[in-house]
Amino acid sequence: MFIIINSGSSSLKFKVFDNIEGKTTIAEGLAERIGVDGKVVIKYQGQSITAEIEMKNHEMAVKIILDQLLDLKIIKSYDEIKAIGSRVVHGGEEIKESVIIDEKVKDIIKKSVKLAPLHNPGALVAIQAFENIVPKVLQVASFDTSFHQTIAAEQYLYPVPNNWYEQHQVRKYGFHGISYQYICKYFAEINQKKPQDLNLVICHLGNGSSVCCVKNGKSFDTTMGFTPLDGLMMGTRSGSVDPSIIEYMIKETKQDASKITEMLNKQSGLLGVSEVSSDMRDITIAAEKGDKKAKIALEMYTQRVAQWIVQYLNNLDSKKIDGIIFTAGIGENSHVVRAKIIEKIKLIPLEIDDEKNIAPYSDFKKISKKGSSINIFAFRTDEEKMILNDIKKYTKN
Ligand code: ADP
């Protein structure tokens, strides 16, 4: 049995798989409001159990989740746990692939806390908690940044004084790497291609959104940067804006830089522009009903994705492009958003097949017409399965 952990700043998602192939999810759940009060939801065998339990930190969350797995008889004893895989947001520049967690790796995660202050601390505490409770169990970490370690300096440097990078590690790191890796692996398998031959533009459009240009199987560039705030407009994040706005708004509103940055992270994007919601479902419904601000938000969101797709296609050899892929909550589910994005690409003759775009699907589907110059797909991503697959390298079972 394998446990996959995904720690947020105040939450901890988990999935329990019965084998390394990940065919069956035995249980999954979420501990949330960690550090506030605490709520745990566990889904298994078609039921959903909710418990309000105080959780002061991620360590308590891990203990409670393990207790619940025992209490609900999802596992009989800790001996059944063969390995634990954790998603870690930031691995800095040192980590280029998934790794077995040891003291050195924990130090690197710790060192990267200043680069990902909201996410890395929770992940580290959870990893340590598992180590305390089940010290003999193999723990593997998969990093959101590692897939992007192939990006060249021309792409990852910002045009700022060099010592910002050399002394302060200011560079593009990129995120959503586990999802991009999964899509590449899956796309290569389905199309019987060698991973190193893949040339794709992948749009991971969820609450957090980014685009990745995959050239010869490697991340060539991606829209998120030093932090996940850069690039596309998102649910509550602004994406790229003129950095001068920050100082201007500090002066205008007499708030400090961290407050303005928080507003760019939590009160901007779809939510900020529409004043309706950060959720794309609400935005599309409101826009359909004629809400002007929701319409503008939808147009802005789709325009920005279209522009990045064009820019990234330009990095690829036009004869070798395998496709444009939409994934994550919005990319997988919103035919309206997919159609709008493609409609906004004028430079290249792309054609969506409306019927295919709307049709239900399980894991993936092609949504372009035969005449489209590039194939377009919707793919369901699965970060937990990718992490499970990363564990496979280090275990026999
Ligand atoms: P994250 O993992 O970044 O929190 P998700 O990948 O779960 O985000 O995506 C969440 C987004 O997906 C939300 O904006 C939600 O509205 C959108 N979404 C989910 N289902 C649909 C749907 N059927 N139509 C449009 N948007 C959807």
Side-chain angles (χ1 to χ4, degrees):
M1 170 162 317
F2 298 85
I3 302 178
I4 305 298
I5 295 291
N6 185 348
S7 309
S9 52
S10 64
S11 67
L12 204 155
K13 274 194 234 167
F14 64 94
K15 256 190 189 179
V16 183
F17 292 98
D18 70 341
N19 67 49
I20 197 71
E21 300 308 327
K23 294 224 167 64
T24 325
T25 309
I26 301 176
E28 61 186 295
L30 171 71
E32 57 185 338
R33 301 180 59 83
I34 299 170
V36 184
D37 37 31
K39 184 175 154 194
V40 184
V41 182
I42 298 188
K43 290 183 191 158
Y44 77 112
Q45 291 178 348
Q47 352 172 20
S48 179
I49 310 276
T50 304
E52 315 256 336
I53 309 171
E54 199 193 350
M55 287 175 287
K56 288 205 172 70
N57 50 39
H58 283 72
E59 184 177 0
M60 279 182 82
V62 167
K63 283 197 184 119
I64 286 163
I65 289 168
L66 285 174
D67 282 351
Q68 293 274 318
L69 293 178
L70 283 175
D71 287 353
L72 296 169
K73 302 199 170 35
I74 295 168
I75 54 174
K76 289 192 200 81
S77 87
Y78 292 154
D79 295 340
E80 288 179 36
I81 305 171
K82 295 212 172 92
I84 296 154
S86 286
R87 170 186 172 229
V88 181
V89 166
H90 221 303
E93 285 195 301
E94 281 157 282
I95 299 198
K96 302 194 190 309
E97 58 180 356
S98 64
V99 285
I100 292 180
I101 298 171
D102 56 15
E103 290 308 312
K104 197 174 146 229
V105 171
K106 282 193 283 181
D107 276 347
I108 293 171
I109 300 173
K110 211 179 286 172
K111 245 174 62 190
S112 304
V113 162
K114 70 171 183 176
L115 300 171
L118 292 180
H119 289 92
N120 271 26
L124 195 60
V125 173
I127 286 166
Q128 193 58 55
F130 277 112
E131 202 177 301
N132 295 342
I133 301 169
V134 282
K136 292 201 186 105
V137 175
L138 171 77
Q139 286 206 64
V140 172
S142 302
F143 295 81
D144 263 331
T145 49
S146 61
F147 183 66
H148 302 299
Q149 282 300 305
T150 50
I151 294 178
E154 299 92 290
Q155 266 72 247
Y156 74 62
L157 286 178
Y158 291 106
V160 295
N162 225 314
N163 80 330
W164 288 23
Y165 169 59
E166 286 170 0
Q167 282 179 30
H168 304 286
Q169 301 90 50
V170 172
R171 56 159 282 178
K172 175 182 286 193
Y173 290 99
F175 299 88
H176 291 145
I178 301 169
S179 170
Y180 290 129
Q181 218 171 336
Y182 176 82
I183 298 289
C184 287
K185 182 177 177 297
Y186 193 26
F187 188 92
E189 277 169 20
I190 291 165
N191 293 287
Q192 293 170 336
K193 286 201 76 154
K194 289 186 193 139
Q196 64 268 30
D197 291 339
L198 288 183
N199 288 284
L200 295 164
V201 172
I202 309 174
C203 308
H204 178 110
L205 309 180
N207 212 358
S209 299
S210 70
V211 183
C212 182
C213 175
V214 175
K215 189 172 184 170
N216 301 325
K218 291 178 181 157
S219 175
F220 179 83
D221 202 357
T222 190
T223 56
M224 281 182 170
F226 177 62
T227 72
L229 183 56
D230 204 4
L232 296 178
M233 173 178 175
M234 313 181 204
T236 62
R237 293 189 195 119
S238 61
S240 313
V241 292
D242 181 343
S244 315
I245 293 172
I246 296 177
E247 192 193 346
Y248 177 79
M249 285 307 291
I250 291 170
K251 287 184 182 155
E252 280 285 302
T253 63
K254 316 236 170 344
Q255 289 172 311
D256 61 17
S258 62
K259 184 69 196 161
I260 302 296
T261 307
E262 189 188 313
M263 289 178 80
L264 290 173
N265 270 299
K266 297 195 174 153
Q267 289 170 40
S268 299
L270 293 173
L271 175 67
V273 175
S274 71
E275 295 179 332
V276 169
S277 168
S278 64
D279 192 304
M280 189 52 100
R281 281 167 290 205
D282 302 334
I283 298 288
T284 40
I285 292 167
E288 244 169 59
K289 286 189 183 152
D291 185 295
K292 278 200 187 120
K293 288 177 180 166
K295 269 189 184 169
I296 293 176
L298 184 58
E299 292 307 310
M300 284 172 71
Y301 182 90
T302 48
Q303 184 65 44
R304 278 163 165 72
V305 180
Q307 276 162 208
W308 280 109
I309 292 175
V310 173
Q311 192 170 323
Y312 280 173
L313 285 173
N314 191 51
N315 292 317
L316 302 175
D317 179 339
S318 60
K319 288 183 225 71
K320 292 188 182 164
I321 299 173
D322 296 296
I324 297 167
I325 297 181
F326 291 103
T327 191
I330 300 170
E332 290 167 19
N333 299 305
S334 179
H335 60 86
V336 175
V337 169
R338 290 193 299 255
K340 271 191 175 295
I341 292 168
I342 297 302
E343 184 191 290
K344 286 181 164 63
I345 297 176
K346 311 287 186 202
L347 188 67
I348 311 143
L350 299 176
E351 277 191 78
I352 278 224
D353 183 320
D354 291 332
E355 255 174 54
K356 288 183 186 161
N357 189 30
I358 292 168
Y361 70 110
S362 53
D363 296 343
F364 73 96
K365 64 176 175 179
K366 187 166 153 188
I367 59 170
S368 50
K369 279 190 185 159
K370 265 202 173 139
S372 183
S373 62
I374 297 171
N375 290 328
I376 310 168
F377 305 88
F379 262 75
R380 298 202 190 277
T381 191
D382 194 333
E383 285 156 306
E384 284 83 10
K385 279 237 179 94
M386 191 65 230
I387 300 171
L388 189 66
N389 189 74
D390 284 342
I391 297 177
K392 206 172 169 179
K393 277 193 286 192
Y394 301 112
T395 168
K396 295 222 164 54
N397 195 349

